[in-house]
Amino acid sequence: MNGAWTGSSETFDLVNPASGDVIGHVPRASKEHVDAAVEVARKAFDAPIWRDMEQTKRGKILLQIAALMREHFEEISKLETLNQGKPIRESKGDVAWAIRAFEYWGGAADKIQGETIPVTANRVTYTLREPLGVTAHIIPWNYPLALAVRSLAPALAAGNTVVAKPAELTPLTLLRVAEFAQKSGLPDGVFNVVTGSGAVAGRALVSNSHVDGITFTGSTDTGAHIMEDAAKNVTPVLLELGGKNPNIVFPDADLKRAVQMAKYAIFTNAGQMCWAGSRLFLHEEIYEKFLEELKKQTESLRIGPGLEEKTELGPMVSKEQQERVMGYIRSGTEEGAKLIIGGQPPDDLALRNGFFLKPTIFTDVKPTMKIAREEIFGPVLTVFRFSTVEDVIRMANETQFGLYAGVWTNDLKLAHRVVREIQAGVVAVNDYLVAYPQTPFGGYKDSGIGYESGLQAVNHYTRIKSVTMNTS
Ligand code: NAD
């Protein structure tokens, strides 16, 4: 914080999920540390070098951060895999996404503007788009860098000063990028990162009355707690929460691609994704054939440490997460769902110290079962059979969540109908897991409030001042 490293007498261990080995320690921030970081950010905002910097220049600094990240692309990608566990190919995709997000917002910085509004002949009315002030960013562990940058880049482009708290399990890549930010010419105090627990550091950050805006990405329960804490200071919140997403396949679709993508939609990042295609709906005409092919392809997924290039399915992020997911698998079996593949850690002795789990598929799942209702956040797919479009839309919408949905069909009318009727903030037609820095992303229902990404995201990091000038 404030352009320097600050330690703490207390630290916590970071673990390589592929081996269980401790790979380092980071400070465990106390409430006092967090308050100090917010104070530093407040002073930097009030200074006001960053806020008043020419917008084009602000954008160039963000572009410079992206350039440094590009130079260190391999290193950051490896660090992400070492700390989070995901296959290196996926980390490279995430880091490339984060670079593009900085570039997108670097270019957008001087396009953040107000408007003029015609009222009467002798009055000029216009709006100014002003930064909020100090923004707080609470980050989850599943995409540690990409999701941090998703909210930090627009906040910075708009002229805010920021305090970010990465998840306790996965702070390393964001800390590295903080170094690049400093080297890129960001004034001290503009970009601050605090490492610590959600209960202490996270709570201290969202409860601080000098914070002017909160962006939280994480579970729905935590999001609700944060909203309560934020309410005490009337601080606006942007919440990106959980999902239990339907992936719907109609018989006329390109089934070869749909099978590959159904696998990819749930087993990428070991299923630890808000937008995982965790509920697969197959039309009865193709059900058996599709499932057989999916099972075959899933069985051949290469499980291993993420740093090995050939790995397709890495470990879960922690022992705790692995046990949590095993609990869901037990509950699925107990409630009568049919486990057709997976359900336990791999037999390979070389993997026994890591937090691995075989890719798992359940059929005969009833909508009332826990595995059909709750976000499992692991490599566990639940499969449903449907016969009519009305049925599948009803079943797909029968959830508290509404983040993402996949629809597979070549029938344009049908695709449009499902797109209109599905309760999800983001829909992919004949695709899955697609999101760009320029496309809005957010959820319906308990999946969140507000949308990240796309130019509209800047609305969350700015406020409008409406000015009327009498010229008579
Ligand atoms: P989590 O809710 O446990 O933690 C997220 C972050 O919140 C961590 O940094 C944690 O330290 C912090 N935190 C915890 N309690 C807090 C509190 N009381 N006050 C302030 N901060 C607190 O989530 P997770 O397990 O890290 O991530 C998984 C969840 O994130 C899943 O539910 C997933 O669906 C969701 N997610 C959503 C999106 C999206 O864009 N909608 C993206 C990724 C992940």
Side-chain angles (χ1 to χ4, degrees), residues 2-16:
N2 211 13
W5 297 106
T6 307
S8 165
S9 53
E10 285 188 54
T11 59
F12 55 92
D13 292 344
L14 300 178
V15 170
N16 174 357

Side-chain angles (χ1 to χ4, degrees), residues 138-143 147 150 165-168 196-199 202-203 206 216-220 222 225-226 240-243 273-274 375 377 403 441 447:
I138 310 267
I139 324 289
W141 48 256
N142 63 337
Y143 292 95
L147 293 182
R150 181 172 76 172
K165 194 202 84 63
E168 38 278 68
S197 72
R203 263 205 102 176
V206 298
F216 169 75
T217 310
S219 61
T220 296
T222 309
H225 286 305
I226 287 180
E240 294 288 358
L241 309 176
M273 301 178 289
C274 56
E375 185 182 41
F377 228 58
L403 189 61
F441 192 96
S447 288

Side-chain angles (χ1 to χ4, degrees), residues 43-119:
K43 282 198 178 125
F45 184 75
D46 292 339
I49 306 169
W50 183 243
R51 187 181 71 190
D52 285 357
M53 187 180 285
E54 196 185 321
Q55 282 175 256
T56 310
K57 203 168 159 202
R58 227 162 41 207
K60 279 190 181 154
I61 291 177
L62 300 192
L63 293 174
Q64 180 55 26
I65 302 176
L68 283 177
M69 286 170 71
R70 221 175 260 291
E71 254 176 55
H72 294 84
F73 179 76
E74 295 288 330
E75 176 215 321
I76 312 171
S77 304
K78 279 190 189 146
L79 198 57
E80 193 76 312
T81 288
L82 185 69
N83 194 182
Q84 200 270 357
K86 63 177 68 185
I88 186 71
R89 259 188 296 171
E90 293 180 27
S91 288
K92 286 183 182 173
D94 294 358
V95 174
W97 195 98
I99 293 171
R100 286 207 309 278
F102 265 126
E103 288 171 345
Y104 178 80
W105 287 104
D110 59 6
K111 288 140 200 107
I112 298 169
Q113 58 198 28
E115 55 188 355
T116 56
I117 303 162
V119 281

